[in-house]
Amino acid sequence: MGEVDTILTSLELKQRIDVCPDDLVILDVSIVPPPADGQDAYNKQHLPGAIYFDQRRSVPATRLIPFSLPDPVKLQEYLRTLGINNDSHIVLYDRDFTLPDLLTNANARIWWLLKAHGITRVSILTGGLRKWLADGYPTTDVIPHPKPGSVTVQFNPSLWLTYPEMVDLVAKGDTQIVDTREPRYFKGEADEPSEPSTLALEAFDLLDDVHIKQGHMPGAKNLPFFNIINWDTYCIKTKEELEQMFKAHGVDPSKPIVSTCYIGYTACSIALATHLLGHDHTRVYYVSIHVLHRVHSLLHCSSHPSAGTRPHSCLLCKRVYYGSWTEWGQRAKDDMVTKEDN
């Protein structure tokens, strides 16, 4: 069971499909604009052999974190229903009409989610369904029914940053913080909650009485998530283009980075971009302390799939602060929010 390439082209995936390897699992991870439904869109058209992955499955939602991490035990159960085993080669793709602020980042978020649970044989179909169709490859409406898998998740809480940890990090000011939101939100020029935060909160009926400050964390640099995409092809940029992107925004990808965004979603695009450059030290501001307590209680349960495990040392510096601005903008004191350029 060897490593797999993080990025696959349409041709490379088509060649894999034609060989029909037993370990290949293709997941449609699309999010579509309401009132449409991702499952319905998948049912009508998807890649041959692809299975729909419901990102909202087993996700606890709060006003601070409307789109949190799934319960590890339930995630393991769900992945097994999709036919995933420990040696599976998982390929992720999304479709053309995902939400504008999440476009192509569905891939990055699920890539990070799976890696955070010890599943590393994961590739992304660059360009997604749009590029697949543009390259002349077929789709289908035939829904496969995989045999149950036996994958075991190995959850790694060291990949997260909690709110208290993030407060301490911002106060020290010695770590690169990359905010992937649109400039209008970063600069505090647009109303809060943002469109992505509003959509996530509305999806779980949590929008009432939510008050989020405008601006960004002191010391943060703005590198909007959509910069990782070549918009002529909808493909993820080349390594050379990603290097230029980071340089243009004053970010050194070879040094530790903490990425943040609206709801802990598009921040994963920076983790993906640095990974593609060979730097696995991007952490993501992901969860609040009450969510961490819930996960720790699961990890200390003998029936939990990751019970008794310890964080893997090579991953200690690649973490996510998942609460992001939806949490920070509600909890942070006024001196921890600014509209000034850094």
Side-chain angles (χ1 to χ4, degrees):
M1 183 174 67
E3 295 183 357
V4 298
D5 292 331
T6 303
I7 300 298
L8 291 182
T9 66
S10 298
L11 175 59
E12 290 169 334
L13 178 56
K14 180 62 167 59
Q15 291 172 338
R16 290 280 293 168
I17 293 174
D18 289 344
V19 175
C20 296
D22 292 336
D23 65 340
L24 182 64
V25 178
I26 304 173
L27 298 181
D28 182 330
V29 298
S30 305
I31 290 183
V32 301
D37 179 80
Q39 180 75 60
D40 289 342
Y42 160 84
N43 290 346
K44 295 174 183 177
Q45 181 188 44
H46 52 265
L47 268 62
I51 305 166
Y52 181 65
F53 181 92
D54 186 354
Q55 297 197 41
R56 295 170 295 182
R57 187 75 171 259
S58 305
V59 171
T62 70
R63 286 183 173 83
L64 293 176
I65 308 174
F67 209 90
S68 190
L69 289 171
D71 179 311
V73 175
K74 293 181 179 179
L75 176 63
Q76 177 174 284
E77 294 173 352
Y78 180 48
L79 293 176
R80 289 180 175 182
T81 68
L82 303 180
I84 296 175
N85 300 299
N86 290 329
D87 62 350
S88 292
H89 176 195
I90 302 170
V91 179
L92 312 174
Y93 80 91
D94 57 11
R95 54 188 59 239
D96 180 30
F97 47 84
T98 47
L99 298 175
D101 281 325
L102 301 177
L103 185 61
T104 71
N105 284 274
N107 287 328
R109 195 261 178 178
I110 301 305
W111 168 83
W112 181 88
L113 173 71
L114 294 175
K115 288 178 72 69
H117 288 82
I119 301 170
T120 59
R121 286 173 50 82
V122 183
S123 300
I124 290 174
L125 174 62
T126 187
L129 179 62
R130 171 190 282 249
K131 189 65 166 61
W132 176 268
L133 292 171
D135 288 340
Y137 296 120
T139 57
T140 182
D141 60 0
V142 176
I143 300 175
H145 299 283
K147 297 187 302 181
S150 58
V151 68
T152 299
V153 304
Q154 295 291 331
F155 183 72
N156 189 350
S158 70
L159 303 186
W160 296 3
L161 275 170
T162 66
Y163 174 77
E165 289 174 320
M166 197 69 199
V167 170
D168 184 59
L169 185 146
V170 171
K172 289 179 178 178
D174 58 359
T175 300
Q176 296 182 106
I177 301 173
V178 176
D179 189 323
T180 65
R181 295 175 298 157
E182 291 181 66
R184 60 189 176 123
Y185 292 117
F186 179 83
K187 296 176 181 179
E189 297 172 349
D191 292 337
E192 293 284 358
S194 64
E195 293 175 15
S197 298
T198 297
L199 286 168
L201 290 163
E202 285 182 336
F204 295 100
D205 296 321
L206 296 170
L207 189 58
D208 292 344
D209 299 321
V210 171
H211 303 285
I212 301 176
K213 299 179 180 70
Q214 295 172 284
H216 57 266
M217 301 172 190
K221 295 183 178 181
N222 190 209
L223 200 174
F225 67 91
F226 46 74
N227 282 279
I228 76 166
I229 303 302
N230 181 329
W231 290 99
D232 291 332
T233 62
Y234 280 77
C235 292
I236 297 170
K237 288 181 175 178
T238 65
K239 291 182 179 180
E240 293 75 16
E241 290 172 328
L242 292 174
E243 290 278 10
Q244 294 172 3
M245 175 196 75
F246 281 114
K247 184 177 181 180
H249 289 82
V251 178
D252 186 346
S254 68
K255 295 181 179 179
I257 294 172
V258 170
S259 60
T260 182
C261 59
Y262 305 96
I263 57 171
Y265 202 98
T266 63
C268 297
S269 64
I270 299 301
L272 173 62
T274 56
H275 170 79
L276 293 174
L277 295 177
H279 308 302
D280 273 338
H281 48 221
T282 296
R283 302 175 293 174
V284 182
Y285 166 28
Y286 203 94
V287 298
S288 63
I289 195 67
H290 70 277
V291 177
L292 189 67
H293 286 163
R294 175 180 61 82
V295 173
H296 278 175
S297 67
L298 288 170
L299 290 174
H300 288 106
C301 172
S302 60
S303 62
H304 186 269
S306 295
T309 63
R310 292 290 183 268
H312 200 282
S313 59
C314 69
L315 296 174
L316 289 176
C317 57
K318 188 175 182 180
R319 298 164 66 192
V320 172
Y321 170 34
Y322 198 75
S324 289
W325 195 255
T326 300
E327 178 185 43
W328 189 270
Q330 295 181 73
R331 299 185 67 181
K333 296 180 180 179
D334 290 343
D335 63 348
M336 284 291 183
V337 176
T338 183
K339 297 182 181 180
E340 298 178 0
D341 291 334
N342 297 303

